[in-house]
Amino acid sequence: MAEASTTILQIPFTKELAALLGPERQAAEKARELIVLGLYQESQISGGKAAELLGLTRSGFVSLLARKGINYFQLTPDEWAEEADIVDNWG
């Protein structure tokens, strides 16, 4: 796989927020993870893209979501109703 180009962003954090992210070496990785998860939760990227950005397999990404308490299936109420209708009418 070709190496993706990178951009370095300088984001100012208060000392309190930086401390919550952990030691400096881990803070950037944790911030990156939180950003990708946020984009996924806002439906700006797919689960596959999120997994790719985090260097995870699909199952690894699903496991991460489970650990974080984030639903993998992000359906609207109408989509859930449609899925329920399909199941109800199965067979």
Side-chain angles (χ1 to χ4, degrees), residues 53-81:
L53 291 170
L54 293 174
L56 299 172
T57 62
R58 177 70 72 134
S59 62
F61 179 66
V62 172
S63 294
L64 173 64
L65 292 177
R67 287 192 307 275
K68 299 289 186 180
I70 300 170
N71 290 327
Y72 177 71
F73 296 104
Q74 298 184 4
L75 301 177
T76 66
D78 289 340
E79 291 169 330
W80 275 112

Side-chain angles (χ1 to χ4, degrees), residues 5-58:
S5 63
T6 60
T7 299
I8 296 175
L9 301 175
Q10 292 185 5
I11 304 171
F13 290 102
T14 63
K15 287 183 181 184
E16 180 182 11
L17 179 55
L20 291 171
L21 291 172
E24 190 173 331
R25 283 193 154 145
Q26 296 170 1
E29 185 61 31
K30 186 167 186 177
R32 189 172 70 82
E33 179 181 278
L34 292 170
I35 290 167
V36 171
L37 291 175
L39 291 170
Y40 171 75
Q41 286 182 291
E42 293 177 355
S43 300
Q44 293 186 33
I45 58 174
S46 68
K49 185 63 175 179
E52 176 187 328
L53 291 170
L54 293 174
L56 299 172
T57 62
R58 177 70 72 134

